[in-house]
Amino acid sequence: MTVISSTESKLIGTLPLLASGKVRDLYEIDSRTLLFVASDRISAYDVIMKNGVPEKGALLTLLSAHWFHVLSSAIPSLKTHFISLDLPQQVPQEFRARLQSRSMQVRKLEIFPIEAIVRGYITGSAWKEYQTKGTVHGMKVQPGLTESEAFPQGAIYTPSTKAEAGLNDENIHPDQAAEIVGEKYAERIEKLALELYSTARKYALERGIIIADTKFEFGLDTETDEVVLVDEVLTPDSSRFWPASSYKIGQTQESFDKQYLRDWLTANGLKGKQGVEMPEDVMNKTAEKYREAFERLVGRKW
């Protein structure tokens, strides 16, 4: 099965390439509209693997489109950057089949330079910090929690910096996020991120998935001064998905995300190393986890 690691060669001379991230390539359609194209690249610990996961880009795009619909229906006041899954007319016919389903047209906005992470359960870097300091992103948390336990007071907002390519994001206190984006927008981002997480958590749990944590990104519509949900939403790349049926506090959980890849990298001393190629079994297992998450959340076979 073909893996699309880069889309740049497909669109040179048709649309200007504005940016190329860990997974997505971003093109300009016109002064108000962008084309997000998701490749099959996969990253872990902020490092892109040498090989990708077949069909991953299409899966992430279609799952994000599904979530935009679900969240907008549940929160009528929500503004998102999503416009359409249609390809713009500028894309040549010979490339359309390969780019369809992995591309979405979105509004061009001013992006806030933070990642709005919401954690419902203590795991990952939050668990490591809590074990040594009793805090999460510098915030005091109730003592006595065990790994994978839900935060007793409810989900917490734990932002991070949005690092340039090749650099690591940094967990920060909400006060630091406010210094970056301004108090006015920081409050709105935090409130909206928590509301989105709460809505998505309930939806997913009804389908047998626990969303342990997730990352949202937001932009600003400078004409209306509205905070807008952007980027991908609630995918296995941006979230920790656990099967509810096997959930048990006090231990690491099974997952429907790239935790399988992270675990393999850690076990083999490859965490944070550049130029790593996944063996076929790791690539296939990761693809299987992503497909299962999609099928449970969307309600149809991939």
Side-chain angles (χ1 to χ4, degrees):
M1 192 176 295
T2 302
V3 173
I4 298 181
S5 296
S6 173
T7 64
E8 185 174 350
S9 62
K10 303 290 180 288
L11 293 174
I12 281 179
T14 60
L15 296 173
L17 176 69
L18 298 184
S20 186
K22 293 177 187 135
V23 173
R24 282 165 188 75
D25 299 324
L26 181 61
Y27 300 89
E28 184 177 62
I29 298 173
D30 56 44
S31 62
R32 301 175 68 90
T33 317
L34 304 174
L35 185 69
F36 266 32
V37 185
S39 73
D40 294 330
R41 299 189 295 269
I42 188 168
S43 68
Y45 300 117
D46 291 315
V47 176
I48 301 171
M49 298 297 104
K50 193 173 179 180
N51 52 340
V53 176
E55 298 186 326
K56 172 178 169 283
L59 186 149
L60 295 183
T61 300
L62 295 178
L63 182 55
S64 288
H66 177 76
W67 275 117
F68 281 127
H69 172 72
V70 168
L71 295 170
S72 295
S73 298
I75 309 171
S77 62
L78 176 66
K79 306 297 181 184
T80 81
H81 74 158
F82 178 75
I83 298 173
S84 169
L85 288 171
D86 297 334
L87 289 168
Q89 61 182 12
Q90 296 100 311
V91 176
Q93 189 63 41
E94 63 265 33
F95 302 143
R96 298 181 79 86
R98 295 190 71 189
L99 297 179
Q100 190 65 55
S101 297
R102 66 175 63 244
S103 308
M104 61 181 177
Q105 293 190 47
V106 301
R107 297 163 59 197
K108 189 174 186 178
L109 300 162
E110 183 179 307
I111 305 302
F112 290 108
I114 60 169
E115 297 191 335
I117 300 167
V118 180
R119 303 178 188 272
Y121 299 76
I122 189 161
T123 187
S125 63
W127 172 240
K128 289 179 182 176
E129 179 185 335
Y130 178 77
Q131 286 179 289
T132 58
K133 300 178 180 178
T135 60
V136 173
H137 286 235
M139 297 181 288
K140 277 291 180 184
V141 176
Q142 180 175 321
L145 298 182
T146 57
E147 184 178 8
S148 303
E149 186 173 352
F151 288 105
Q153 75 277 28
I156 60 174
Y157 172 65
T158 58
S160 76
T161 59
K162 189 174 170 63
E164 296 294 326
L167 300 176
N168 295 331
D169 300 332
E170 179 188 350
N171 291 345
I172 57 176
H173 190 282
D175 290 347
Q176 292 172 270
E179 292 174 6
I180 294 170
V181 303
E183 191 67 42
K184 170 186 172 182
Y185 296 117
E187 290 178 2
R188 287 157 63 178
I189 288 170
E190 178 174 354
K191 180 180 178 183
L192 184 52
L194 288 167
E195 183 178 12
L196 289 167
Y197 174 80
S198 176
T199 302
R201 178 182 180 177
K202 180 176 182 294
Y203 175 93
L205 197 54
E206 291 169 352
R207 290 155 180 81
I209 289 180
I210 292 171
I211 302 177
D213 53 46
T214 194
K215 169 188 69 88
F216 298 110
E217 295 193 33
F218 295 97
L220 178 67
D221 184 330
T222 55
E223 293 180 2
T224 63
D225 199 41
E226 292 173 314
V227 173
V228 181
L229 179 63
V230 303
D231 203 62
E232 67 175 349
V233 183
L234 294 153
T235 71
D237 264 17
S238 64
S239 314
R240 280 189 176 88
F241 292 149
W242 296 339
S245 59
S246 61
Y247 170 67
K248 186 177 180 181
I249 66 170
Q251 63 184 40
T252 302
Q253 308 299 310
E254 295 179 37
S255 64
F256 297 127
D257 50 52
K258 56 185 174 184
Q259 192 60 46
Y260 187 86
L261 171 58
R262 292 191 194 103
D263 291 345
W264 175 80
L265 290 168
T266 301
N268 288 275
L270 298 171
K271 179 179 177 179
K273 299 285 180 67
Q274 299 285 342
V276 175
E277 183 168 347
M278 296 177 289
E280 189 171 352
D281 64 316
V282 173
M283 179 182 70
N284 290 338
K285 189 67 175 179
T286 302
E288 179 187 316
K289 296 283 189 181
Y290 275 50
R291 285 194 300 269
E292 187 167 358
F294 177 92
E295 290 172 359
R296 289 197 184 202
L297 291 169
V298 177
R300 66 174 175 84
K301 282 287 186 182
W302 172 244

